[in-house]
């Protein structure tokens, strides 16, 4: 009986060298015991006898498969791989046989390892380490298989600009913005406590949760319960599931606001007979009716309805976003989707009462492209923004805001008529043609797309500061 001792559970180089030597000696699979110890395996004891070369080739697909399988937690994975290697000498096409039990089991293991790596990329949540000399983040994660070191380069690429550590029971990986470091596994007690960013993450998760598309079985498949204790949003899941039916029913029951028949008929006549440079709307109701029948660009063709602005009138403060999203298009109301909920949260933190402001968009119809069953947002082009500016100017004349906040580059183009970079202009009041003051800042949807938690937290704090500044200029925040 031959005993092979590997340096670690994932010592692929050691297994490969030992397996080559064993096969060259002609040692059958049932005569080998594979084990793992802290001492390095001595290759000399498995060197082939003199005159019998150890050089042979195997399919590249087998090497790739073995590199995955060795990360599995099954105790028989090493013996399985050697058995397949042994059989390849006599069955060179074994790797292509989907019905072979050994190959089927190896492929199942490789798939499980791949899923485990995917879950790690999706469910690692970094927390700020309190008291660290530099801004450092740490996360605790318990992967289903030994994928920590194999997955670490992904996090180094994704979070290049921050210092972080991922703690797991198998191994710990750390990044100092220059190199990856690997150390022994850790204990859950070493994980950092909850930080302030987790409330922001829960707000984001609640914002994107769609009760009408709830499928608990699929949710458990994509987010297994074994990971919930490491996810800040997990505490929301039971309540979100429990109230999903009620929320979905409310969504279906809600109907868009409708203008009166008189106003709607006038808007239809105007749309058919009048030039858009004449007959400017004199009320917000006329704007609402006009938007619903607007044909100034082609966006109306694929949208459910036009979405005009709403809020106080007159109002000292106006917010201009980009365009309606999927939920706004269905509801006929601006800023009610995920970005709207993030916007409301930031407004509340800034101390700005939304009911004393007016909220609208630079473009009044939802521009999108179908992707499966979903409608994916597309940024309006300059022509579409210019065409819809007639409605935005009408809203500005009626609402008469002292301050206009432009949420994103498209909103800035709609208000000013020219490109206005956000990073170079945010926080700086701009004098507009109607004597209102303008401020540019991030659109809340930008925060929902930022994958880097540290960057997202900084951008959110800057958004709150900008909203607070706008409220102060408008006299709504003291």
């Amino acid at each position: 009986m031959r005993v092979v001792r590997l340096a670690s559970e994932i010592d692929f180089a050691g297994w490969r060298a030992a397996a080559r030597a064993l096969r060259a000696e002609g040692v059958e699979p049932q005569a080998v015991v594979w084990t793992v110890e802290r001492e390095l395996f001595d290759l000399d004891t498995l060197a082939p006898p003199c005159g019998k070369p150890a050089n042979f080739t195997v399919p590249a697909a087998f090497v790739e498969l073995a590199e995955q399988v060795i990360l599995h937690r099954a105790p028989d994975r090493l013996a399985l791989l050697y058995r397949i290697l042994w059989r390849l000498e006599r069955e060179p096409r074994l790797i292509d046989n989907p019905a072979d039990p050994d190959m089927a089991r190896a492929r199942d293991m490789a798939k499980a390892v791949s899923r485990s790596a995917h879950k790690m990329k999706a469910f690692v949540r970094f927390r700020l380490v309190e008291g660290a000399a530099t801004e450092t983040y740490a996360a605790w994660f318990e992967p289903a298989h030994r994928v920590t070191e194999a997955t670490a380069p992904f996090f180094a690429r994704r979070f290049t600009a921050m210092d972080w550590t991922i703690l797991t029971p198998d191994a710990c990986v750390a990044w100092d913005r220059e190199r990856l470091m690997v150390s022994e596994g850790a204990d859950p007690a070493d994980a950092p406590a909850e930080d302030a960013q987790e409330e922001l993450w829960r707000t984001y998760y609640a914002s994107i949760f769609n009760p009408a598309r709830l499928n608990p079985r699929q949710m458990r498949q994509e987010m297994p319960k074994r990971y919930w204790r490491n996810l800040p949003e997990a505490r929301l899941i039971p309540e979100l599931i429990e109230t999903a039916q009620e929320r979905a029913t409310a969504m279906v029951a809600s109907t868009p606001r409708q203008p009166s028949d008189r106003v709607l008929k006038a808007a239809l006549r105007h749309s058919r007979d009048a030039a858009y440079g004449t007959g400017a709307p004199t009320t917000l109701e006329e704007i609402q009716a006009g938007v619903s029948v607007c044909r100034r660009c082609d966006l109306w063709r694929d949208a459910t309805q036009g979405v005009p602005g709403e809020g106080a009138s007159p109002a000292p403060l106006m917010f201009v976003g980009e365009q309606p999203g999927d939920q706004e298009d269905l509801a006929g109301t601006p800023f009610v989707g995920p970005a709207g909920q993030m916007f409301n949260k930031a407004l509340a933190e800034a101390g700005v009462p939304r009911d004393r402001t007016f909220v609208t968009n630079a473009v009044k119809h939802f521009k999108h492209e179908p992707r499966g069953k979903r409608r994916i947002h597309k940024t309006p082009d300059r022509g579409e923004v210019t065409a819809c500016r007639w409605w935005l100017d009408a809203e500005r004349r009626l609402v008469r805001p002292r301050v206009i906040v432009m949420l994103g580059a498209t909103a800035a183009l709609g208000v000013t008529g020219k490109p206005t970079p956000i990073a170079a202009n945010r926080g700086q009041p701009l004098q507009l043609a109607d004597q209102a003051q303008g401020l540019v800042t991030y659109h809340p949807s930008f925060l929902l797309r930022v994958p880097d938690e540290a960057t997202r937290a900084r951008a959110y704090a800057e958004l709150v500061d900008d909203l607070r500044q706008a409220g102060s200029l408008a006299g709504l925040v003291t």
Side-chain angles (χ1 to χ4, degrees), residues 23 29 62 65 79-89 91 94-95 100 102-107:
R23 183 178 137 171
F62 171 73
L65 180 69
L80 172 66
L81 290 175
Y82 182 61
R83 187 162 62 250
I84 294 174
L85 178 65
W86 175 266
R87 293 178 59 193
L88 280 171
E89 183 176 10
E91 305 171 62
L94 174 64
I95 196 75
D100 182 81
D102 284 345
M103 288 304 306
R105 176 155 168 72
R107 288 196 178 95

Side-chain angles (χ1 to χ4, degrees), residues 392-424:
L392 179 60
D393 287 346
E395 289 174 329
R396 289 170 63 179
R397 285 196 303 271
L398 295 173
V399 175
R400 303 193 302 277
R402 294 199 297 269
V403 179
I404 300 177
V405 178
M406 295 156 270
L407 301 167
T410 300
L413 177 61
V415 172
T416 66
K418 60 184 180 181
T420 306
I422 303 302

Side-chain angles (χ1 to χ4, degrees), residues 4-16 18 34-42 70 77-78 149 184:
V4 181
R5 297 180 178 85
L6 300 183
S8 72
E9 295 284 359
I10 59 173
D11 180 17
F12 178 73
W15 176 88
R16 186 177 187 180
W34 299 88
T35 186
V36 175
E37 291 186 3
R38 290 302 175 188
E39 61 188 62
L40 290 177
F41 163 65
D42 183 2
I70 201 169
R77 70 197 184 287
L78 302 173
E149 294 171 62
E184 296 290 332

Side-chain angles (χ1 to χ4, degrees), residues 22-225:
L22 287 166
R23 183 178 137 171
E25 284 190 48
V27 180
E28 297 185 355
Q30 61 269 26
V32 183
V33 175
W34 299 88
T35 186
V36 175
E37 291 186 3
R38 290 302 175 188
E39 61 188 62
L40 290 177
F41 163 65
D42 183 2
L43 283 180
D44 291 338
T45 61
L46 292 180
C50 182
K52 190 170 184 178
N55 293 327
F56 54 83
T57 60
V58 296
F62 171 73
V63 178
E64 295 174 2
L65 180 69
E67 287 177 327
Q68 287 284 93
V69 170
I70 201 169
L71 304 181
H72 201 278
R73 293 192 186 275
D76 65 334
R77 70 197 184 287
L78 302 173
L80 172 66
L81 290 175
Y82 182 61
R83 187 162 62 250
I84 294 174
L85 178 65
W86 175 266
R87 293 178 59 193
L88 280 171
E89 183 176 10
R90 298 162 183 79
E91 305 171 62
R93 304 194 63 177
L94 174 64
I95 196 75
D96 298 319
N97 184 356
D100 182 81
D102 284 345
M103 288 304 306
R105 176 155 168 72
R107 288 196 178 95
D108 286 344
M109 287 185 180
K111 289 179 182 178
V113 168
S114 179
R115 285 195 298 270
S116 179
H118 172 73
K119 298 305 182 188
M120 184 170 183
K121 294 173 185 177
F123 297 143
V124 161
R125 298 289 184 267
F126 288 107
R127 291 170 169 172
L128 182 65
V129 178
E130 299 291 342
T134 59
E135 188 177 87
T136 303
Y137 293 83
W140 171 259
F141 191 73
E142 299 175 33
H145 299 288
R146 300 181 180 94
V147 297
T148 303
E149 294 171 62
T151 312
F154 164 83
F155 291 97
R157 293 190 300 269
R158 176 64 65 87
F159 303 107
T160 304
M162 76 182 205
D163 296 335
W164 53 260
T165 300
I166 300 177
L167 311 173
T168 79
D170 305 310
C172 300
V173 289
W175 172 254
D176 64 359
R177 308 191 191 193
E178 294 183 359
R179 68 187 193 282
L180 276 170
M181 295 160 284
V182 181
S183 58
E184 296 290 332
D187 186 89
D190 299 326
E194 180 172 320
D195 63 10
Q197 293 187 50
E198 298 198 7
E199 184 59 35
L200 175 60
W201 182 259
R202 280 190 284 269
T203 300
Y204 162 70
Y205 185 79
S207 297
I208 65 172
F209 185 87
N210 188 340
R213 294 174 178 166
L214 174 65
N215 185 331
R217 180 180 178 184
Q218 185 177 4
M219 174 184 284
R220 286 191 292 270
Q221 288 178 343
E222 295 299 320
M223 185 187 287
K225 281 194 172 184

